[in-house]
Amino acid sequence: MFSKRQIPAFVFTAIRLVCGLAVLSGWSFVATRKDDFKTAQLKFERVKAAYDEKEAAIKKIFSDKGLNASRSAILVRVFKQEMELELWARPVKGSQFQLLKTYRICSASGGAGPKRRMGDNQVPEGFYTINRWNPQSSFHLSLGINYPNASDRVLSDRKNPGGDIFIHGDCVSIGCMAMTDDPIKEIYIAFVEAKTAGQARIPVHIFPARPESLTWEKLRILHRKDAGILAFWQNLKTGHDAFGKSHTLPRITVDAKGLYLFE
């Protein structure tokens, strides 16, 4: 048997196909009314099991910050080099987010730099939202992000930018952000609760590294001859810092050159 970190190339190819088509292997779930969402999700065995195992834990994570899991909006931030995923939340009628918990990402392929084409094995970088829910994923539970977004459609390969990028369980992935199954259960519950509470767009912000870290500076030095990637990372840092100043979300749009604008 191969370990999950010693999988040969032909198996990686199969994983890529399954990860990309995971939405087809189970259900890409979209509720017709937000009031139906949690009820419908709980009809799936894995979601029900996740609630049975982790609902008390996720409620405590929220309540420790003075929040109610069923009346909160959430935000996720990912830092690729650190292999960390942050879960943030605020009251539905509030504006300021609080950091709830930082999860360890178990597996993610590629390196620093955005995803730009099919088969580059990169985890995207940029400002995304969740657009798919798969309670019967080949990788336990999965949440799809809206890559390619408006920026990617300008800056990535126009014919074949790739797609089907997920946050999921099972600790193995090509281009996705893979957690172990216990964390994905908590994260999935938090997303179900937020959507049921009326949050239509759940943001996922993905950075190459923490901009305040030495790792960020090392990446800048390593890529000092690549003006394009340095400009892109500076654009991401601007968005990171805009959120960091007040812990409120700026309005994010994309210009004709594919750069993010923050208001």
Side-chain angles (χ1 to χ4, degrees), residues 38 41-42 46-56 58 185 188-190 192-193 196:
K38 181 176 178 179
Q41 284 279 312
L42 284 169
R46 292 180 194 170
V47 179
K48 185 179 184 304
Y51 267 85
D52 289 344
E53 295 173 30
K54 294 293 185 179
E55 184 176 18
I58 200 70
K185 291 171 187 175
Y188 200 92
I189 290 171
V192 169
E193 293 294 325
T196 303

Side-chain angles (χ1 to χ4, degrees), residues 58-218:
I58 200 70
K59 284 183 175 180
K60 187 176 188 304
I61 290 169
F62 277 77
S63 65
D64 284 349
K65 298 292 185 178
L67 296 169
N68 186 318
S70 62
R71 292 197 290 272
S72 296
I74 62 173
L75 157 74
V76 161
R77 300 200 306 175
V78 171
F79 300 93
K80 289 168 51 175
Q81 291 293 300
E82 289 82 1
M83 296 287 282
E84 291 179 340
L85 182 151
E86 295 179 343
L87 177 64
W88 293 70
R90 62 166 174 79
V92 167
K93 295 184 179 180
S95 61
Q96 191 169 44
F97 284 85
Q98 297 183 66
L99 176 61
L100 300 184
K101 186 171 180 177
T102 301
Y103 294 92
R104 179 71 180 170
I105 296 172
C106 184
S107 178
S109 63
K115 182 173 184 62
R116 289 295 181 238
R117 65 185 184 279
M118 173 68 79
D120 63 7
N121 296 340
Q122 286 290 95
V123 173
E125 295 171 6
F127 300 91
Y128 299 93
T129 58
I130 292 297
N131 65 355
R132 281 166 291 177
W133 307 70
N134 191 351
Q136 292 184 321
S137 171
S138 299
F139 299 93
H140 196 65
L141 297 166
S142 64
L143 299 156
I145 71 168
N146 67 327
Y147 175 90
N149 65 11
S151 171
D152 301 316
R153 287 193 292 272
V154 175
L155 298 175
S156 297
D157 188 304
R158 299 294 180 90
K159 293 183 178 180
N160 202 350
D164 293 319
I165 305 297
F166 293 85
I167 301 169
H168 61 64
D170 203 34
C171 192
V172 61
S173 183
I174 296 294
C176 299
M177 291 149 280
M179 320 296 294
T180 54
D181 289 352
D182 270 0
I184 197 62
K185 291 171 187 175
E186 291 186 3
I187 295 164
Y188 200 92
I189 290 171
F191 274 71
V192 169
E193 293 294 325
K195 186 169 178 64
T196 303
Q199 187 178 6
R201 294 171 58 84
I202 301 178
V204 177
H205 297 175
I206 308 175
F207 304 96
R210 294 186 179 277
E212 68 276 12
S213 69
L214 289 176
T215 302
W216 181 275
E217 290 306 314
K218 289 178 181 178

